[in-house]
């Protein structure tokens, strides 16, 4: 379930995979079945690494909080629509 989430500031973020998701996440594949990673999976993992650095080092607290809140709202809407 690798999808992208658009946030109000115009950014696009990779949707986090969660343990309760139906599909095996990229983290699991990377740890347990790295040979199964596609090129698209590798690109997504690179995006996640870049996003992590951006959130921790380059963004302000306010920017980080807005991005995290928008992603949480998106996931909450998914879960309540199921």
């Amino acid at each position: 379930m690798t999808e992208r989430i658009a946030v109000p500031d115009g950014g696009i973020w990779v949707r986090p995979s969660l343990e309760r998701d139906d599909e095996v996440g990229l983290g699991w594949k990377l740890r347990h079945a790295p040979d199964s990673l596609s090129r698209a999976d590798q690109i997504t993992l690179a995006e996640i690494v870049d996003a992590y650095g951006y959130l921790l080092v380059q963004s302000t607290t306010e920017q980080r909080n807005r991005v995290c809140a928008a992603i949480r709202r998106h996931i909450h809407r998914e879960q309540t629509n199921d």
Side-chain angles (χ1 to χ4, degrees):
M1 172 183 277
T2 301
E3 68 177 72
R4 305 302 191 265
I5 300 172
V7 296
D9 70 359
I12 305 291
W13 293 81
V14 174
R15 182 200 180 279
S17 60
L18 304 170
E19 287 186 20
R20 63 183 167 272
D21 287 342
D22 291 336
E23 294 182 21
V24 171
L26 288 178
W28 186 94
K29 286 170 86 174
L30 187 59
R31 285 183 202 90
H32 303 287
D35 292 340
S36 71
L37 292 169
S38 67
R39 181 67 181 144
D41 291 340
Q42 293 171 358
I43 296 297
T44 298
L45 289 166
E47 291 173 354
I48 292 167
V49 169
D50 290 342
Y52 179 77
Y54 174 79
L55 280 179
L56 291 181
V57 178
Q58 294 178 305
S59 67
T60 65
T61 300
E62 293 80 18
Q63 289 169 323
R64 184 185 66 241
N65 289 345
R66 279 194 301 271
V67 166
C68 291
I71 292 170
R72 287 184 188 119
R73 280 192 303 274
H74 178 91
I75 292 172
H76 178 73
R77 279 193 305 269
E78 280 181 353
Q79 294 169 345
T80 58
N81 290 332
D82 290 341

